[in-house]
Every structure is written in C-alpha cells, then in structure tokens.
Amino acid sequence: MSLKILVVDDEALARSRLRTLLGDCVAPAARVAAEAANAVQAMTALQRDTFDAVLLDIGMPGLDGIGLAQSIAALPQPPAVVFVTAHSGHAVQAFELEAIDYLTKPVRLERLQQALQKVERLAQSRTTLQPDLPDEMLIIQDRGRTERVPLAEVLYLKAELKYITVRTASRSYILDASLSELEERHAGQFMRIHRNALIARRAIRALEKHFDPEEGEGWAVRLNGIAEVLAVSRRQLSAVREAIAG
C-alpha cells in the first residue's frame, strides 16, 4: 500500500511539484491524499483524516510551519513530519520538534525517496509496537454500575445541565464530564455542531432545514442510526457542510 501524504505549502506551484515527485516514488510508493495552503486548512484535514506523513513548508502566512508542527505533535496519533523549505536555517529547530527529515527546495527525487523510507520504517515500528490497539472507551458510572461504552458506537455527545448525554443507536447514557475536554481529546472522531453538542463524523447522514422553537429557522444534522435531529449553530454550519462534502 502507498503512504498517505498531506502536502502543506502556501505556493500552489510548490504543491504541484511535490505531487509530481511523489508520483514518481516507488519504494515506498506514496500518494497525495490532501493538500493545504495554510495551517488552518492543514489542521482541518488532520482532524478529518489520518496520514502517514505531512510534507510541511515553514514560511507560510499566519501560523508558520514550526508552529503547525507543534500542533501536529499534540494530536493523539500524529503523522510523521517532513519539513520542505527553501531555507536551511531552521533545521535544528525542526529536529527538536522530532521531524523525521528536513528537505530543502528544490527537492530532489532521491532525497524525497529517502525521507519516505524513514516514514515507512516509522509506520512499521508503530505497528510492531502496537499490533492490537484496544477500542477507545467511555467509562459510564450509573447507579452503582460501571459500564464501558466503545467510542465507535457513540453517535453524539450533548451537554445538558451538569451532565453529558452519550447517545448510541440503541440507548442513551449519562456521563459526568466536560464537553470541551471530550472535544479536545476526540477531535479526530467528533466535531462540534453547537455550543452544547458534538457529533460523530462517521455518522453524519444529512444537513437539512429545521425549525427550532427557541432559535427559530435554522439547520439540523441527521445521523445514521437514530431518528432524532440535532440543531446546527450558524457558527458551525460551514464546518458541517464541509464534513458532508468530504
């Protein structure tokens, strides 16, 4: 299988050149699964999908590549970072961030191939060290009973009063937790649609017009497995549209 790559560079021509070079790589093979022109687009892609490596430019408007690499390192399962830059002056700082390689532009195919071989070895070592990762669980305490609910079964998390409603296709649970902490911990699987609700990205079925008695005309998201619809705030509307389109 080919390595999944996210290319992050504010110059379209640079991204195009990397795409071409990656297409010429053989051992290991690699493909550009997504592109981003800035840090915001890159983090959105990383929250929606998993990648083996990020080919990352340093000099970008807004948050630069060094700052973005710090954010990537904080992800639950961070991809390998390969810096691709026109300047050699950031190499020490890059390796302090545990970048797997540092390529200078114009990138040569041989050097890119070497970097990908490092990515492949890292991916293989992770698989060897963790062959059977357990499913993530939410621990529910209810009337003296403790139950483990697989995160993969959860459709939404909704804050109500002091507690969180955890909804699966078969039933609801009550969890004493913070919605913000759950969002931060499970950003790859869940997205915020309202100040009081997170939904499972994999469960999104449709976005539709909706009338809410308190908020009036608006939008709601429909999830696979349940008949209930959940209101989407205007602030989160574009993110939900992107998630459905993706």
Side-chain angles (χ1 to χ4, degrees):
M1 291 180 64
S2 61
L3 297 172
K4 284 178 64 178
I5 307 296
L6 169 62
V7 174
V8 185
D9 196 305
D10 62 316
E11 296 182 4
L13 190 60
R15 297 197 303 272
S16 177
R17 174 167 170 73
L18 282 174
R19 182 182 285 275
T20 300
L21 286 172
L22 287 165
D24 293 335
C25 291
V26 178
R31 64 183 179 88
V32 178
E35 294 183 12
N38 54 52
V40 173
Q41 292 178 7
M43 288 306 295
T44 299
L46 288 161
Q47 289 169 356
R48 291 167 58 176
D49 202 355
T50 57
F51 301 89
D52 295 300
V54 179
L55 299 189
L56 178 57
D57 186 24
I58 291 182
M60 298 187 297
L63 186 67
D64 67 9
I66 297 295
L68 177 55
Q70 293 172 336
S71 297
I72 291 173
L75 293 172
Q77 293 179 300
V81 171
V82 176
F83 282 105
V84 183
T85 176
H87 308 286
S88 60
H90 296 282
V92 172
Q93 193 175 7
F95 287 116
E96 285 176 351
L97 291 169
E98 298 185 355
I100 202 165
D101 212 336
Y102 190 97
L103 308 181
T104 53
K105 300 176 181 178
V107 177
R108 293 182 294 111
L109 178 60
E110 299 79 21
R111 278 293 287 120
L112 179 58
Q113 193 84 56
Q114 290 172 10
L116 293 178
Q117 288 167 357
K118 293 179 183 179
V119 172
E120 185 180 47
R121 286 195 294 271
L122 178 63
Q124 289 172 346
S125 68
R126 285 174 173 173
T127 301
T128 302
L129 291 171
Q130 299 176 323
D132 295 305
L133 288 173
D135 291 335
E136 290 185 86
M137 299 285 176
L138 292 179
I139 307 302
I140 307 292
Q141 306 278 356
D142 183 23
R143 299 190 182 108
R145 181 170 183 250
T146 302
E147 186 168 348
R148 301 172 74 208
V149 178
L151 201 66
E153 294 181 8
V154 177
L155 300 176
Y156 71 74
L157 300 159
K158 190 173 182 180
E160 298 180 271
L161 298 177
K162 296 189 297 180
Y163 299 98
I164 304 294
T165 296
V166 178
R167 184 72 162 90
T168 68
S170 58
R171 60 167 293 188
S172 294
Y173 303 86
I174 298 298
L175 176 65
D176 186 1
S178 160
L179 194 67
S180 295
E181 288 179 5
L182 289 168
E183 179 183 23
E184 183 176 348
R185 193 180 310 155
H186 305 297
Q189 299 106 306
F190 289 83
M191 66 177 297
R192 186 175 289 271
I193 60 165
H194 200 279
R195 64 180 179 277
N196 68 346
L198 307 176
I199 60 170
R201 295 175 185 275
R202 59 178 168 74
I204 300 175
R205 179 179 175 183
L207 178 67
E208 56 191 49
K209 283 282 190 179
H210 176 70
F211 179 80
D212 184 276
E214 294 182 3
E215 300 185 11
E217 284 288 342
W219 293 85
V221 69
R222 189 174 294 278
L223 304 177
N224 290 316
I226 55 174
E228 181 183 358
V229 296
L230 296 168
V232 177
S233 69
R234 291 182 179 87
R235 184 176 180 180
Q236 303 299 332
L237 186 57
S238 61
V240 175
R241 284 190 171 124
E242 285 182 15
I244 291 176

